[in-house]
PDB file of all heavy atoms in Angstrom:
ATOM      1  N   GLY A 629      23.354  15.869   7.095  1.00 47.00           N
ATOM      2  CA  GLY A 629      24.029  16.953   7.787  1.00 47.00           C
ATOM      3  C   GLY A 629      23.788  18.299   7.165  1.00 47.00           C
ATOM      4  O   GLY A 629      24.299  19.308   7.646  1.00 47.00           O
ATOM      5  N   LEU A 630      23.025  18.381   6.078  1.00 49.00           N
ATOM      6  CA  LEU A 630      22.756  19.644   5.412  1.00 49.00           C
ATOM      7  C   LEU A 630      21.429  20.210   5.908  1.00 49.00           C
ATOM      8  O   LEU A 630      20.511  19.460   6.275  1.00 49.00           O
ATOM      9  CB  LEU A 630      22.697  19.460   3.904  1.00 49.00           C
ATOM     10  CG  LEU A 630      24.007  19.049   3.239  1.00 49.00           C
ATOM     11  CD1 LEU A 630      23.776  18.873   1.748  1.00 49.00           C
ATOM     12  CD2 LEU A 630      25.069  20.078   3.498  1.00 49.00           C
ATOM     13  N   PRO A 631      21.249  21.480   5.898  1.00 51.00           N
ATOM     14  CA  PRO A 631      19.966  22.060   6.298  1.00 51.00           C
ATOM     15  C   PRO A 631      18.890  21.753   5.278  1.00 51.00           C
ATOM     16  O   PRO A 631      19.195  21.614   4.094  1.00 51.00           O
ATOM     17  CB  PRO A 631      20.278  23.557   6.381  1.00 51.00           C
ATOM     18  CG  PRO A 631      21.434  23.740   5.476  1.00 51.00           C
ATOM     19  CD  PRO A 631      22.230  22.477   5.567  1.00 51.00           C
ATOM     20  N   VAL A 632      17.707  21.641   5.760  1.00 49.00           N
ATOM     21  CA  VAL A 632      16.599  21.350   4.871  1.00 49.00           C
ATOM     22  C   VAL A 632      16.277  22.587   4.056  1.00 49.00           C
ATOM     23  O   VAL A 632      16.635  23.708   4.405  1.00 49.00           O
ATOM     24  CB  VAL A 632      15.355  20.897   5.675  1.00 49.00           C
ATOM     25  CG1 VAL A 632      15.632  19.598   6.389  1.00 49.00           C
ATOM     26  CG2 VAL A 632      14.927  21.978   6.652  1.00 49.00           C
ATOM     27  N   GLU A 633      15.609  22.347   2.944  1.00 50.00           N
ATOM     28  CA  GLU A 633      15.295  23.440   2.033  1.00 50.00           C
ATOM     29  C   GLU A 633      14.349  24.424   2.714  1.00 50.00           C
ATOM     30  O   GLU A 633      13.361  24.040   3.333  1.00 50.00           O
ATOM     31  CB  GLU A 633      14.659  22.888   0.766  1.00 50.00           C
ATOM     32  CG  GLU A 633      14.370  23.947  -0.274  1.00 50.00           C
ATOM     33  CD  GLU A 633      13.833  23.339  -1.540  1.00 50.00           C
ATOM     34  OE1 GLU A 633      13.602  22.109  -1.548  1.00 50.00           O
ATOM     35  OE2 GLU A 633      13.666  24.075  -2.511  1.00 50.00           O
ATOM     36  N   GLY A 634      14.677  25.670   2.629  1.00 51.00           N
ATOM     37  CA  GLY A 634      13.854  26.717   3.207  1.00 51.00           C
ATOM     38  C   GLY A 634      14.162  27.049   4.639  1.00 51.00           C
ATOM     39  O   GLY A 634      13.632  28.009   5.178  1.00 51.00           O
ATOM     40  N   LYS A 635      15.011  26.284   5.274  1.00 50.00           N
ATOM     41  CA  LYS A 635      15.332  26.534   6.675  1.00 50.00           C
ATOM     42  C   LYS A 635      16.394  27.605   6.779  1.00 50.00           C
ATOM     43  O   LYS A 635      17.411  27.532   6.097  1.00 50.00           O
ATOM     44  CB  LYS A 635      15.814  25.246   7.341  1.00 50.00           C
ATOM     45  CG  LYS A 635      16.105  25.441   8.820  1.00 50.00           C
ATOM     46  CD  LYS A 635      16.545  24.119   9.449  1.00 50.00           C
ATOM     47  CE  LYS A 635      16.836  24.316  10.917  1.00 50.00           C
ATOM     48  NZ  LYS A 635      17.256  23.051  11.560  1.00 50.00           N
ATOM     49  N   LYS A 636      16.148  28.601   7.632  1.00 51.00           N
ATOM     50  CA  LYS A 636      17.067  29.711   7.792  1.00 51.00           C
ATOM     51  C   LYS A 636      18.100  29.372   8.852  1.00 51.00           C
ATOM     52  O   LYS A 636      17.772  28.836   9.905  1.00 51.00           O
ATOM     53  CB  LYS A 636      16.314  30.986   8.203  1.00 51.00           C
ATOM     54  CG  LYS A 636      15.227  31.397   7.251  1.00 51.00           C
ATOM     55  CD  LYS A 636      15.776  31.808   5.895  1.00 51.00           C
ATOM     56  CE  LYS A 636      14.682  32.288   4.980  1.00 51.00           C
ATOM     57  NZ  LYS A 636      15.210  32.769   3.705  1.00 51.00           N
ATOM     58  N   LEU A 637      19.346  29.678   8.545  1.00 51.00           N
ATOM     59  CA  LEU A 637      20.427  29.478   9.503  1.00 51.00           C
ATOM     60  C   LEU A 637      21.153  30.791   9.703  1.00 51.00           C
ATOM     61  O   LEU A 637      21.343  31.557   8.748  1.00 51.00           O
ATOM     62  CB  LEU A 637      21.429  28.435   8.998  1.00 51.00           C
ATOM     63  CG  LEU A 637      20.923  26.988   8.887  1.00 51.00           C
ATOM     64  CD1 LEU A 637      22.030  26.123   8.311  1.00 51.00           C
ATOM     65  CD2 LEU A 637      20.481  26.458  10.243  1.00 51.00           C
ATOM     66  N   PRO A 638      21.564  31.056  10.934  1.00 54.00           N
ATOM     67  CA  PRO A 638      22.381  32.267  11.139  1.00 54.00           C
ATOM     68  C   PRO A 638      23.712  32.136  10.409  1.00 54.00           C
ATOM     69  O   PRO A 638      24.206  31.032  10.166  1.00 54.00           O
ATOM     70  CB  PRO A 638      22.571  32.311  12.656  1.00 54.00           C
ATOM     71  CG  PRO A 638      22.184  30.977  13.164  1.00 54.00           C
ATOM     72  CD  PRO A 638      21.320  30.299  12.162  1.00 54.00           C
ATOM     73  N   PHE A 639      24.283  33.287  10.117  1.00 48.00           N
ATOM     74  CA  PHE A 639      25.524  33.279   9.321  1.00 48.00           C
ATOM     75  C   PHE A 639      26.672  32.594  10.049  1.00 48.00           C
ATOM     76  O   PHE A 639      27.533  31.971   9.446  1.00 48.00           O
ATOM     77  CB  PHE A 639      25.919  34.716   8.973  1.00 48.00           C
ATOM     78  CG  PHE A 639      27.155  34.783   8.139  1.00 48.00           C
ATOM     79  CD1 PHE A 639      27.093  34.520   6.768  1.00 48.00           C
ATOM     80  CD2 PHE A 639      28.388  35.093   8.706  1.00 48.00           C
ATOM     81  CE1 PHE A 639      28.232  34.583   5.998  1.00 48.00           C
ATOM     82  CE2 PHE A 639      29.528  35.134   7.937  1.00 48.00           C
ATOM     83  CZ  PHE A 639      29.448  34.890   6.572  1.00 48.00           C
TER      84      PHE A 639
END
Side-chain angles (χ1 to χ4, degrees):
L630 294 179
V632 296
E633 183 176 5
K635 182 178 180 180
K636 303 294 183 176
L637 293 177
F639 181 79

